[in-house]
Amino acid sequence: DTGVSQDPRHKITKRGQNVTFRCDPISEHNRLYWYRQTLGQGPEFLTYFQNEAQLEKSRLLSDRFSAERPKGSFSTLEIQRTEQGDSAMYLCASSLWRASFVDTQYFGPGTRLTVL
Amino acid sequence: SQQGEEDPQALSIQEGENATMNCSYKTSINNLQWYRQNSGRGLVHLILIRSNEREKHSGRLRVTLDTSKKSSSLLITASRAADTASYFCATDARIQGAQKLVFGQGTRLTINP
């Protein structure tokens, strides 16, 4: 399977714990995006990378959230001191961006986080 | 905040009928895309329409775009049970450097056999 993969698919944690999610983009895709989706809502943008550089962060991304893409390939999203309001589906997407072209984002299956 | 608003929020039709979903947005766009999401799964890209296009087809899908009204519609013809899913429109806002997609709340489509 050469699509976007995410790990784990489900995570249940207790409030106050730290969690880390991993996203493996489609090979050779230079852009990687993180979104959050709560029940009954559309996804909301969190942040994106072009290669290893984090170019934009949403105001939704509080200080407890950090994302990395150290070698321009896979990415991790860490949430520290989780709160019940962090419960959501975390979606990763990747795209091949080239100047003057529209880059279509391809989504992974998501990681569903439940904070008890 | 979410840019788009889909209408209706939920739609239930019989298999074989056509399904039409509408999306309205607020700011100028470069393009508008439609995605499908099966329950609890990731999003699947369906179709992209550029701001200078008015209509686009892909198989049983037909998308229209009216930039003067800031609205788009997705038509699924000859619906099948497998089309049951949530459908989202997403805009790529015309802000230099911004590459994020801004999604609406989605239309939950149910196809009854």
Side-chain angles (χ1 to χ4, degrees):
Chain A
D1 189 330
T2 57
V4 178
S5 61
Q6 293 187 244
D7 183 67
R9 295 290 307 278
H10 303 273
K11 179 70 177 178
I12 299 174
T13 190
K14 293 183 179 179
R15 189 179 52 167
Q17 298 293 306
N18 298 345
V19 294
T20 300
F21 309 140
R22 176 179 171 126
C23 171
D24 287 89
I26 293 172
S27 180
E28 298 180 354
H29 276 193
N30 52 8
R31 285 200 168 170
L32 187 148
Y33 305 78
W34 285 99
Y35 292 83
R36 182 173 70 185
Q37 184 180 26
T38 54
L39 200 61
Q41 301 294 314
E44 292 181 292
F45 170 82
L46 293 178
T47 188
Y48 90 95
F49 294 83
Q50 177 150 333
N51 299 314
E52 65 275 9
Q54 189 173 18
L55 296 187
E56 187 174 346
K57 293 192 290 186
S58 162
R59 285 173 291 179
L60 292 174
L61 217 62
S62 74
D63 291 345
R64 296 184 299 104
F65 288 71
S66 63
E68 293 182 345
R69 193 183 184 199
K71 297 182 180 180
S73 57
F74 73 92
S75 175
T76 58
L77 178 67
E78 180 183 16
I79 308 175
Q80 297 182 328
R81 305 181 302 281
T82 52
E83 302 173 356
Q84 289 185 326
D86 297 331
S87 295
M89 175 80 89
Y90 290 85
L91 294 162
C92 175
S94 71
S95 71
L96 177 61
W97 179 82
R98 293 162 291 173
S100 303
F101 286 84
V102 177
D103 58 326
T104 297
Q105 294 181 30
Y106 295 89
F107 282 79
T111 295
R112 181 169 296 283
L113 172 66
T114 303
V115 181
L116 302 176
Chain B
S1 63
Q2 308 217 293
Q3 152 98 296
E5 293 184 4
E6 278 94 342
D7 171 55
Q9 291 189 0
L11 179 62
S12 180
I13 61 174
Q14 294 299 120
E15 193 167 18
E17 294 180 341
N18 295 341
T20 299
M21 289 158 272
N22 302 296
C23 167
S24 60
Y25 56 91
K26 299 173 184 175
T27 63
S28 295
I29 60 172
N30 293 312
N31 59 72
L32 185 144
Q33 304 180 53
W34 285 89
Y35 282 83
R36 183 187 74 221
Q37 185 177 38
N38 291 86
S39 181
R41 302 283 183 98
L43 284 85
V44 175
H45 183 260
L46 295 177
I47 195 166
L48 178 151
I49 186 165
R50 298 174 186 269
S51 60
N52 62 354
E53 297 176 314
R54 292 295 168 260
E55 187 171 313
K56 202 163 183 179
H57 296 254
S58 177
R60 294 184 296 113
L61 305 180
R62 173 178 169 253
V63 169
T64 63
L65 179 64
D66 187 335
T67 54
S68 67
K69 295 182 179 178
K70 291 187 169 59
S71 67
S72 174
S73 68
L74 171 67
L75 168 68
I76 303 174
T77 60
S79 62
R80 305 168 182 169
D83 294 330
T84 294
S86 290
Y87 291 81
F88 295 91
C89 68
T91 55
D92 181 2
R94 193 189 294 270
I95 302 173
Q96 187 174 7
Q99 295 297 329
K100 61 187 177 186
L101 292 176
V102 182
F103 287 86
Q105 293 183 327
T107 293
R108 293 183 302 281
L109 176 64
T110 302
I111 308 300
N112 301 304

